[in-house]
Amino acid sequence: MSSKQEKIEKMLEMQKKFIELEQKGEVTAEGYFAPEPGSDLDGFREEYMKLAMEVVDEAHEDKGSHR
């Protein structure tokens, strides 16, 4: 994934999927923080955080600011 916009779009897709799972009652604290391997939430938090931090870093680069 190369552009900041693509990363933001991916994050929005992930949020939509998470909300769908939550509304179906498929999200529990345990499932979110310690998901079963292969579950819909397996790797979710890590991937979302990675994308979010990349977007933040790119925004700082664009503005010439530092974190």
Side-chain angles (χ1 to χ4, degrees):
M1 210 173 295
S2 57
S3 79
K4 183 171 50 174
Q5 185 60 40
E6 289 173 328
K7 291 172 185 172
I8 292 168
E9 288 173 11
K10 173 67 175 173
M11 291 170 64
L12 290 172
E13 289 173 21
M14 292 175 73
Q15 288 176 357
K16 182 179 177 183
K17 176 67 174 173
F18 182 86
I19 290 168
E20 289 172 4
L21 292 170
E22 187 177 38
Q23 289 176 343
K24 290 179 187 176
E26 297 180 21
V27 176
T28 64
E30 183 178 351
Y32 181 72
F33 290 104
E36 293 289 324
S39 73
D40 287 330
L41 294 177
D42 187 19
F44 178 88
R45 288 185 323 118
E46 295 82 3
E47 181 179 3
Y48 192 89
M49 181 62 76
K50 178 181 173 278
L51 289 169
M53 293 311 301
E54 288 175 5
V55 169
V56 167
D57 289 343
E58 288 179 34
H60 281 290
E61 279 182 32
D62 291 347
K63 295 296 178 187
S65 60
H66 303 359
R67 339 192 230 153

